[in-house]
Amino acid sequence: MSSNNTYSFPPNQNIQFTANATGGVSPYSYSWNFGDGTSGSGNPVTHSYSAEATYTVTVTVTDSIGETASASVYIVIAVSSLALAVSGTKTYNGNYYAVEGSTLTLTATLSWSGYALSGQTIDFYVNGTQVGSATTDSNGDASYQYTVNTTGTLQIYATYSGYDGYSSAKSETYTVYAVAPLSVSVGVS
């Protein structure tokens, strides 16, 4: 599969295919095999795929004297996946806790069809408010340092808005309970 004729799309997106025929005797007829058991005719044509896979799309052009020529492209249908990890918390009874004033490292890992996506922007949210953004590295990781500035329940998640055929994604929500720093005083009587 050559990368110069491979195109990526998320599921259920309408994709327009256009063939460019030259030579022979016009007019031409166009027959399409979409690689998923369906076919079409005409030029251009539109098709969508619901299942994640790689499809070979072939157009066969027939000219007015019965000569034929074919060309193919590869269509990769996949969804983006975004996983979130939060470090800097403490665990108690299966819950995650952070002390007000502490710093959490929010790390999102972005992949598409099993491959890391680098150079993509990830937005980080706490309680529905965007707190920062970071760009994914060659491993698909983007990290953001968040300083806990309140107490209460923190709902933390990351989003990817998609780009150039890559679908958008949202991570699972990570719940952290932010608590006041422990303090103690001594009384004497």
Side-chain angles (χ1 to χ4, degrees):
M1 191 166 41
S2 170
S3 63
N4 64 350
N5 64 349
T6 302
Y7 303 90
S8 303
F9 297 94
N12 302 313
Q13 179 173 323
N14 285 330
I15 305 166
Q16 182 171 302
F17 298 94
T18 305
N20 182 22
T22 59
V25 178
S26 63
Y28 308 108
S29 65
Y30 301 84
S31 176
W32 296 86
N33 178 333
F34 296 111
D36 62 352
T38 64
S39 60
S41 61
N43 191 42
V45 295
T46 302
H47 189 69
S48 66
Y49 299 89
S50 59
E52 290 185 65
T54 299
Y55 300 93
T56 302
V57 178
T58 303
V59 61
T60 300
V61 178
T62 305
D63 73 0
S64 294
I65 60 172
E67 294 295 309
T68 62
S70 296
S72 297
V73 294
Y74 301 97
I75 302 297
V76 178
I77 303 297
V79 295
S80 301
S81 171
L82 189 62
L84 178 66
V86 177
S87 59
T89 62
K90 298 179 187 254
T91 305
Y92 177 72
N93 282 343
N95 294 315
Y96 299 102
Y97 292 88
V99 176
E100 183 180 15
S102 66
T103 299
L104 302 178
T105 301
L106 314 180
T107 303
T109 302
L110 179 64
S111 63
W112 180 85
S113 190
Y115 297 97
L117 288 180
S118 64
Q120 305 298 309
T121 301
I122 304 296
D123 297 320
F124 294 93
Y125 292 81
V126 175
N127 293 340
T129 300
Q130 184 178 347
V131 295
S133 297
T135 302
T136 56
D137 62 17
S138 61
N139 296 318
D141 295 333
S143 293
Y144 179 78
Q145 301 292 316
Y146 173 73
T147 301
V148 177
N149 58 10
T150 187
T151 59
T153 303
L154 306 178
Q155 299 292 322
I156 302 171
Y157 63 91
T159 64
Y160 169 62
S161 54
Y163 173 74
D164 198 24
Y166 300 120
S167 62
S168 61
K170 179 182 175 191
S171 73
E172 72 282 359
T173 299
Y174 201 100
T175 301
V176 175
Y177 299 100
V179 297
L182 180 63
S183 64
V184 64
S185 62
V186 176
V188 177
S189 52

